[in-house]
Amino acid sequence: MADQSSGSTPVDKEDNWGYDLYPERRGEAAQAKWWQVALFGAGQVKTEKISCERNVYNCFQNSPLVKLMYSALKASGCEIDLRRHIACEVCDVKVSGGYDPRLNQIVICQNVARSKGMVQGILTHEMIHMFDACRHELSFKDLNHLACTEIRAANLTHCSFLSAMTQGDASFFRIQKQHAECVKNKALGSVLAVRPDVTKEEALAVIDKVFLKCYNDLEPIGRRIRRNSADMIRAYQERTNYGYE
């Protein structure tokens, strides 16, 4: 809370949920670790940023999922400008990326997400949050809204039926249950990461409350992506069925 006696405007602490994980969001300059300076020189942070930005650009040019999300956002009136809406920054190592609803900006953690594949996953995940904020007037202060968008992002980008299949019984119903549990666990971790005021029990309760509706909402990708499949390409090819160019 800002010092009100100085005449400054107080800051709602709710607006800063999760910002401790993104120091540059708080105005702190990124500093290279001592071992980075010793091994690579003082320019390590700058080198990471350049590499991150190249990976982002590559994904927007070549990733079917990222291109699909870009088309969906554009069709919804929320076209992405790479210079304005995507930022590569140094973050807490507990996170690899995030969506800043105040600035409508996606953060890629340059010190964590170093591969094109990882950057693709983060971009797609966070672009789903951006899509939900654009299309559905998402409020991250509303725990129901937050849980729903985290369920959708985990469902569409992180958990796959193939990974569930390798965990044991390969029956359809068993795989389906394991996939749903993967989505719930991922959503739980994301909710707790940005809402320190919420207990695990409270988060689980709201996830269970909205799960079925949000789990079955596959917009705008239209399908759950299976690992090592052609689903990403198929989803991109089918984008015109939903009015996305």
Side-chain angles (χ1 to χ4, degrees):
M1 184 73 71
D3 183 1
Q4 298 185 47
S5 63
S6 63
S8 60
T9 303
V11 177
D12 185 346
K13 68 178 182 179
E14 294 180 356
D15 289 337
N16 292 320
W17 278 328
Y19 268 60
D20 57 317
L21 303 174
Y22 308 94
E24 291 191 60
R25 304 273 106 179
R26 304 195 309 262
E28 298 178 10
Q31 300 291 333
K33 305 295 184 182
W34 68 266
W35 58 269
Q36 291 177 321
V37 174
L39 292 175
F40 307 106
Q44 175 67 10
V45 171
K46 184 176 181 181
T47 300
E48 288 179 343
K49 190 177 189 70
I50 292 172
S51 177
C52 174
E53 290 174 344
R54 284 176 177 168
N55 283 335
V56 168
Y57 180 77
N58 181 276
C59 286
F60 272 84
Q61 292 296 309
N62 300 303
S63 166
L65 279 184
V66 173
K67 291 195 295 182
L68 169 56
M69 290 305 305
Y70 173 82
S71 298
L73 282 160
K74 182 179 180 180
S76 302
C78 300
E79 183 172 3
I80 285 183
D81 180 332
L82 287 181
R83 295 167 296 180
R84 163 66 182 85
H85 295 112
I86 313 291
C88 288
E89 298 179 2
V90 175
C91 312
D92 189 296
V93 294
K94 290 184 290 187
V95 293
S96 56
Y99 173 63
D100 184 344
R102 289 197 299 182
L103 298 178
N104 189 31
Q105 199 169 53
I106 291 170
V107 179
I108 306 295
C109 298
Q110 65 191 49
N111 57 315
V112 178
R114 293 191 169 96
S115 70
K116 292 177 184 177
M118 193 169 184
V119 170
Q120 173 188 251
I122 295 164
L123 280 172
T124 310
H125 182 111
E126 305 305 337
M127 289 169 85
I128 288 172
H129 295 326
M130 184 179 278
F131 178 85
D132 287 348
C134 172
R135 287 285 293 268
H136 306 299
E137 299 183 356
L138 182 72
S139 170
F140 282 83
K141 294 181 181 181
D142 186 320
L143 197 55
N144 292 283
H145 288 194
L146 176 60
C148 187
T149 192
E150 293 296 355
I151 288 168
R152 283 180 20 79
N155 185 28
L156 292 170
T157 65
H158 282 280
C159 298
S160 74
F161 282 103
L162 181 62
S163 62
M165 190 180 300
T166 63
Q167 293 172 13
D169 183 0
S171 71
F172 174 77
F173 294 108
R174 178 64 176 166
I175 293 169
Q176 192 173 39
K177 180 179 179 181
Q178 288 178 332
H179 182 267
E181 287 302 313
C182 173
V183 171
K184 286 184 178 182
N185 289 334
K186 178 65 180 176
L188 175 64
S190 296
V191 169
L192 293 178
V194 299
R195 287 293 299 267
D197 62 312
V198 175
T199 67
K200 181 178 179 179
E201 291 71 24
E202 290 171 334
L204 283 171
V206 75
I207 287 171
D208 285 339
K209 176 184 174 183
V210 303
F211 187 78
L212 189 59
K213 176 181 178 182
C214 302
Y215 183 71
N216 290 326
D217 182 359
L218 304 180
E219 190 180 14
I221 294 177
R223 63 173 66 224
R224 297 181 179 94
I225 303 300
R226 295 171 297 176
R227 191 177 303 171
N228 301 324
S229 74
D231 285 348
M232 288 192 295
I233 296 173
R234 291 193 186 102
Y236 179 68
Q237 292 172 337
E238 293 167 356
R239 69 192 185 283
T240 55
N241 295 342
Y242 302 93
Y244 310 139
E245 297 179 357

